[in-house]
Amino acid sequence: MSRGKFITFEGGEGVGKTTNVAFVESYLQARNIPLVVTREPGGTPLAEKLRTLLLNKKSEAISEEAELLLMFAARAQHIKHVIEPALARGDWVICDRFTDATYAYQGGGRNMKISTIEGLETLVQSNLRPDLTLLLDAPVKIGMERVGKRGAFDRFESETALFFEDVRRAYLLQAEINPQRIKLIKANQPLADVQQAIINVLSPLLR
Ligand code: T5A
Protein backbone atom coordinates (compact mmCIF):
# COMPACT_ATOMS: atom_id res chain seq x y z
CA MET A 1 0.00 0.00 0.00
CA SER A 2 1.57 3.30 -1.02
CA ARG A 3 1.37 6.31 1.26
CA GLY A 4 -1.41 8.82 0.58
CA LYS A 5 -0.85 12.37 -0.59
CA PHE A 6 -1.05 15.28 1.83
CA ILE A 7 -2.66 18.40 0.32
CA THR A 8 -3.20 21.65 2.18
CA PHE A 9 -5.19 24.78 1.37
CA GLU A 10 -3.92 28.13 2.56
CA GLY A 11 -4.67 31.81 2.24
CA GLY A 12 -6.05 34.79 4.11
CA GLU A 13 -9.56 35.21 5.43
CA GLY A 14 -12.40 34.52 3.00
CA VAL A 15 -10.27 33.65 -0.03
CA GLY A 16 -12.30 30.47 -0.64
CA LYS A 17 -10.39 27.69 1.12
CA THR A 18 -13.42 25.91 2.56
CA THR A 19 -15.35 26.22 -0.72
CA ASN A 20 -12.48 24.71 -2.67
CA VAL A 21 -11.66 22.00 -0.13
CA ALA A 22 -15.23 20.77 -0.75
CA PHE A 23 -14.66 21.01 -4.51
CA VAL A 24 -11.45 18.94 -4.35
CA GLU A 25 -13.17 16.43 -2.06
CA SER A 26 -15.84 15.76 -4.72
CA TYR A 27 -13.27 15.79 -7.53
CA LEU A 28 -11.13 13.11 -5.85
CA GLN A 29 -14.10 11.06 -4.66
CA ALA A 30 -15.30 10.89 -8.27
CA ARG A 31 -11.91 9.34 -9.07
CA ASN A 32 -12.29 6.76 -6.28
CA ILE A 33 -9.43 8.15 -4.22
CA PRO A 34 -9.85 7.33 -0.51
CA LEU A 35 -9.50 10.53 1.45
CA VAL A 36 -9.88 12.33 4.73
CA VAL A 37 -10.95 15.98 4.82
CA THR A 38 -9.90 17.92 7.86
CA ARG A 39 -8.89 21.36 9.09
CA GLU A 40 -6.60 23.33 11.38
CA PRO A 41 -6.71 24.32 14.07
CA GLY A 42 -8.91 21.30 14.71
CA GLY A 43 -9.45 17.81 13.38
CA THR A 44 -9.58 15.88 16.68
CA PRO A 45 -11.84 16.43 19.72
CA LEU A 46 -9.05 18.09 21.71
CA ALA A 47 -7.79 20.15 18.75
CA GLU A 48 -11.36 21.33 18.05
CA LYS A 49 -11.60 22.48 21.69
CA LEU A 50 -8.37 24.42 21.22
CA ARG A 51 -9.81 25.90 18.01
CA THR A 52 -12.85 27.15 19.92
CA LEU A 53 -10.57 28.79 22.50
CA LEU A 54 -8.35 30.33 19.81
CA LEU A 55 -11.19 31.73 17.70
CA ASN A 56 -13.41 32.94 20.53
CA LYS A 57 -13.30 36.70 20.86
CA LYS A 58 -14.38 36.39 24.50
CA SER A 59 -11.37 34.28 25.54
CA GLU A 60 -9.07 35.98 28.04
CA ALA A 61 -6.34 37.93 26.22
CA ILE A 62 -4.19 35.21 24.62
CA SER A 63 -0.47 36.02 24.55
CA GLU A 64 1.37 35.60 21.26
CA GLU A 65 3.46 32.81 22.76
CA ALA A 66 0.39 30.98 24.06
CA GLU A 67 -1.33 31.36 20.67
CA LEU A 68 1.66 29.87 18.87
CA LEU A 69 1.94 26.95 21.30
CA LEU A 70 -1.80 26.23 21.17
CA MET A 71 -1.63 26.08 17.35
CA PHE A 72 1.17 23.53 17.57
CA ALA A 73 -0.50 21.62 20.43
CA ALA A 74 -3.59 21.20 18.25
CA ARG A 75 -1.36 20.21 15.31
CA ALA A 76 0.48 17.58 17.35
CA GLN A 77 -2.83 15.88 18.21
CA HIS A 78 -4.06 16.21 14.65
CA ILE A 79 -0.94 14.66 13.12
CA LYS A 80 -0.78 11.79 15.60
CA HIS A 81 -4.45 10.82 15.57
CA VAL A 82 -5.65 11.78 12.09
CA ILE A 83 -3.09 12.83 9.49
CA GLU A 84 -0.33 10.23 9.94
CA PRO A 85 -2.68 7.23 10.32
CA ALA A 86 -4.60 8.29 7.21
CA LEU A 87 -1.48 8.77 5.06
CA ALA A 88 -0.04 5.47 6.33
CA ARG A 89 -3.14 3.52 5.25
CA GLY A 90 -2.97 5.12 1.79
CA ASP A 91 -5.70 7.76 2.17
CA TRP A 92 -5.16 11.23 0.84
CA VAL A 93 -5.50 14.00 3.40
CA ILE A 94 -7.03 17.34 2.37
CA CYS A 95 -6.45 19.88 5.10
CA ASP A 96 -7.94 23.39 5.37
CA ARG A 97 -4.83 25.25 6.65
CA PHE A 98 -1.64 23.79 8.15
CA THR A 99 1.77 25.13 9.20
CA ASP A 100 2.06 27.75 6.44
CA ALA A 101 -0.77 29.48 8.32
CA THR A 102 1.48 29.62 11.39
CA TYR A 103 4.27 31.23 9.37
CA ALA A 104 1.72 33.70 7.94
CA TYR A 105 -0.38 34.57 11.03
CA GLN A 106 1.98 34.07 13.97
CA GLY A 107 5.13 34.86 11.94
CA GLY A 108 3.88 37.59 9.58
CA GLY A 109 0.87 38.86 11.53
CA ARG A 110 2.16 38.61 15.10
CA ASN A 111 5.82 39.05 14.25
CA MET A 112 6.95 35.93 16.11
CA LYS A 113 10.48 34.76 15.29
CA ILE A 114 10.66 32.45 12.27
CA SER A 115 13.39 30.39 13.98
CA THR A 116 10.98 29.71 16.89
CA ILE A 117 8.30 28.51 14.46
CA GLU A 118 10.85 26.36 12.63
CA GLY A 119 11.89 24.77 15.93
CA LEU A 120 8.30 23.88 16.83
CA GLU A 121 7.66 22.62 13.30
CA THR A 122 10.57 20.19 13.64
CA LEU A 123 9.49 19.10 17.12
CA VAL A 124 5.86 18.47 16.17
CA GLN A 125 6.13 17.33 12.56
CA SER A 126 9.55 15.76 12.23
CA ASN A 127 9.78 15.34 8.43
CA LEU A 128 6.08 15.64 7.67
CA ARG A 129 5.38 18.33 5.06
CA PRO A 130 2.47 18.63 2.59
CA ASP A 131 3.02 17.14 -0.89
CA LEU A 132 1.11 20.05 -2.36
CA THR A 133 -0.13 23.35 -0.95
CA LEU A 134 -2.70 25.44 -2.80
CA LEU A 135 -2.25 29.04 -1.74
CA LEU A 136 -5.38 31.01 -2.62
CA ASP A 137 -4.40 34.64 -2.91
CA ALA A 138 -6.63 37.69 -3.18
CA PRO A 139 -6.44 41.31 -2.05
CA VAL A 140 -7.30 41.57 1.65
CA LYS A 141 -10.31 43.78 0.95
CA ILE A 142 -11.97 41.15 -1.25
CA GLY A 143 -11.54 38.34 1.30
CA MET A 144 -12.84 40.50 4.14
CA GLU A 145 -15.88 41.57 2.10
CA ARG A 146 -16.73 37.91 1.54
CA VAL A 147 -16.27 37.11 5.26
CA GLY A 148 -18.30 40.19 6.24
CA LYS A 149 -21.37 38.83 4.46
CA ARG A 150 -21.33 35.86 6.84
CA GLY A 151 -21.94 37.85 10.05
CA ALA A 152 -19.97 38.33 13.28
CA PHE A 153 -16.16 38.22 13.11
CA ASP A 154 -14.09 35.73 15.16
CA ARG A 155 -10.93 36.66 17.13
CA PHE A 156 -8.66 36.59 14.06
CA GLU A 157 -11.15 38.15 11.67
CA SER A 158 -11.36 41.12 14.06
CA GLU A 159 -7.70 42.03 13.39
CA THR A 160 -6.77 45.16 11.40
CA ALA A 161 -6.29 45.40 7.63
CA LEU A 162 -2.58 45.98 8.35
CA PHE A 163 -2.38 42.63 10.15
CA PHE A 164 -3.93 40.88 7.14
CA GLU A 165 -1.57 42.65 4.72
CA ASP A 166 1.32 41.25 6.80
CA VAL A 167 -0.30 37.80 6.73
CA ARG A 168 -0.68 37.98 2.94
CA ARG A 169 2.94 39.11 2.49
CA ALA A 170 4.18 36.24 4.69
CA TYR A 171 2.14 33.71 2.70
CA LEU A 172 3.60 35.02 -0.57
CA LEU A 173 7.08 34.75 0.92
CA GLN A 174 6.38 31.12 1.90
CA ALA A 175 5.41 30.46 -1.74
CA GLU A 176 8.61 32.09 -2.96
CA ILE A 177 10.73 29.98 -0.59
CA ASN A 178 8.91 26.72 -1.45
CA PRO A 179 8.06 26.96 -5.18
CA GLN A 180 7.95 23.18 -5.68
CA ARG A 181 5.36 22.59 -2.97
CA ILE A 182 3.28 25.77 -2.86
CA LYS A 183 1.23 26.67 -5.93
CA LEU A 184 -0.27 30.13 -6.07
CA ILE A 185 -3.91 30.32 -7.20
CA LYS A 186 -5.47 33.69 -8.01
CA ALA A 187 -8.61 33.70 -5.87
CA ASN A 188 -10.17 36.97 -7.05
CA GLN A 189 -11.54 35.48 -10.24
CA PRO A 190 -14.81 33.62 -10.90
CA LEU A 191 -15.06 30.40 -8.90
CA ALA A 192 -15.08 28.26 -12.08
CA ASP A 193 -11.68 29.74 -13.06
CA VAL A 194 -10.27 29.22 -9.56
CA GLN A 195 -11.37 25.58 -9.72
CA GLN A 196 -9.87 25.05 -13.18
CA ALA A 197 -6.56 26.42 -11.86
CA ILE A 198 -6.80 23.99 -8.93
CA ILE A 199 -7.39 21.03 -11.26
CA ASN A 200 -4.37 22.08 -13.32
CA VAL A 201 -2.01 21.85 -10.34
CA LEU A 202 -3.69 18.78 -8.86
CA SER A 203 -3.65 16.59 -11.96
CA PRO A 204 0.10 15.78 -11.92
CA LEU A 205 -0.47 14.07 -8.54
CA LEU A 206 -3.12 11.83 -10.06
CA ARG A 207 -0.83 10.34 -12.69
N1 T5A B 1 -4.72 30.28 12.20
C1 T5A B 1 -4.83 28.99 11.77
C2 T5A B 1 -3.51 30.78 12.71
O1 T5A B 1 -3.45 31.94 13.13
N2 T5A B 1 -2.43 29.95 12.73
C3 T5A B 1 -2.47 28.64 12.31
O2 T5A B 1 -1.45 27.93 12.38
C4 T5A B 1 -3.73 28.15 11.82
C5 T5A B 1 -3.83 26.72 11.32
C6 T5A B 1 -8.90 29.69 11.39
C7 T5A B 1 -8.19 30.90 11.92
O3 T5A B 1 -7.04 30.45 12.59
C8 T5A B 1 -5.91 31.17 12.18
C9 T5A B 1 -6.23 31.69 10.81
C10 T5A B 1 -7.74 31.84 10.82
O4 T5A B 1 -8.07 33.17 11.16
P1 T5A B 1 -10.57 29.42 9.46
O5 T5A B 1 -12.02 29.26 9.63
O6 T5A B 1 -9.81 28.24 9.00
O7 T5A B 1 -10.05 30.06 10.79
O8 T5A B 1 -10.15 30.52 8.43
P2 T5A B 1 -10.98 31.53 7.65
O9 T5A B 1 -10.06 32.19 6.69
O10 T5A B 1 -11.71 32.40 8.65
O11 T5A B 1 -11.99 30.66 6.84
P3 T5A B 1 -13.16 31.25 6.08
O12 T5A B 1 -14.21 30.20 6.06
O13 T5A B 1 -13.53 32.59 6.59
O14 T5A B 1 -12.58 31.54 4.66
P4 T5A B 1 -12.35 30.59 3.44
O15 T5A B 1 -12.52 29.18 3.84
O16 T5A B 1 -11.10 30.98 2.79
O17 T5A B 1 -13.53 31.07 2.48
P5 T5A B 1 -14.89 30.34 2.11
O18 T5A B 1 -14.65 29.20 1.20
O19 T5A B 1 -15.69 30.12 3.34
O20 T5A B 1 -15.53 31.51 1.22
C11 T5A B 1 -15.97 32.72 1.78
C12 T5A B 1 -17.14 33.27 0.94
O21 T5A B 1 -16.65 33.64 -0.34
C13 T5A B 1 -17.36 32.97 -1.38
C14 T5A B 1 -17.95 31.72 -0.73
O22 T5A B 1 -19.10 31.27 -1.39
C15 T5A B 1 -18.24 32.21 0.69
O23 T5A B 1 -19.47 32.86 0.71
N3 T5A B 1 -16.40 32.68 -2.47
C16 T5A B 1 -16.36 33.35 -3.62
N4 T5A B 1 -17.11 34.36 -4.10
C17 T5A B 1 -16.77 34.83 -5.33
N5 T5A B 1 -15.76 34.35 -6.10
C18 T5A B 1 -14.99 33.33 -5.67
N6 T5A B 1 -13.97 32.89 -6.41
C19 T5A B 1 -15.26 32.80 -4.36
N7 T5A B 1 -14.71 31.83 -3.60
C20 T5A B 1 -15.40 31.76 -2.46
Side-chain angles (χ1 to χ4, degrees):
M1 168 74 63
S2 64
R3 195 172 155 84
K5 301 284 183 202
F6 182 24
I7 300 172
T8 58
F9 277 80
E10 295 283 2
E13 308 292 313
V15 290
K17 297 174 297 299
T18 308
T19 306
N20 289 299
V21 162
F23 166 72
V24 166
E25 179 179 15
S26 323
Y27 184 82
L28 294 178
Q29 272 170 349
R31 281 152 190 81
N32 294 321
I33 292 175
L35 55 92
V36 169
V37 175
T38 186
R39 67 174 180 182
E40 288 212 349
T44 79
L46 175 56
E48 287 292 330
K49 282 184 189 158
L50 295 175
R51 177 188 178 92
T52 303
L53 292 174
L54 281 159
L55 267 56
N56 187 353
K57 262 167 89 171
K58 294 190 181 118
S59 298
E60 70 183 56
I62 301 177
S63 74
E64 289 165 4
E65 292 78 7
E67 182 180 283
L68 176 66
L69 291 168
L70 287 170
M71 289 295 175
F72 272 107
R75 185 162 298 136
Q77 288 298 109
H78 193 204
I79 290 171
K80 177 147 190 175
H81 295 296
V82 176
I83 298 177
E84 269 301 345
L87 294 173
R89 67 175 178 261
D91 288 5
W92 288 32
V93 174
I94 315 299
C95 192
D96 194 337
R97 295 192 187 276
F98 193 62
T99 308
D100 293 305
T102 313
Y103 282 100
Y105 282 77
Q106 282 66 52
R110 303 273 191 240
N111 222 0
M112 301 286 296
K113 271 194 190 155
I114 296 306
S115 56
T116 306
I117 300 175
E118 285 170 344
L120 290 167
E121 181 180 37
T122 304
L123 171 75
V124 167
Q125 295 172 221
S126 191
N127 292 325
L128 177 70
R129 300 291 181 276
D131 295 293
L132 172 68
T133 296
L134 298 147
L135 172 56
L136 302 180
D137 179 64
V140 169
K141 196 165 169 282
I142 289 181
M144 291 315 289
E145 275 168 11
R146 290 180 188 166
V147 171
K149 287 187 192 144
R150 208 171 37 193
F153 284 176
D154 67 30
R155 197 173 68 84
F156 285 100
E157 289 162 355
S158 310
E159 288 291 344
T160 62
L162 209 65
F163 175 89
F164 292 117
E165 292 294 351
D166 287 342
V167 167
R168 185 181 184 203
R169 210 170 301 118
Y171 263 134
L172 293 173
L173 180 63
Q174 279 293 98
E176 222 177 286
I177 297 170
N178 302 283
Q180 292 300 323
R181 172 175 66 83
I182 304 181
K183 302 298 175 197
L184 198 64
I185 307 282
K186 263 183 65 182
N188 55 334
Q189 49 179 344
L191 192 54
D193 296 342
V194 173
Q195 295 181 336
Q196 187 54 53
I198 290 174
I199 291 172
N200 292 348
V201 294
L202 198 60
S203 25
L205 285 189
L206 291 164
R207 281 183 207 131

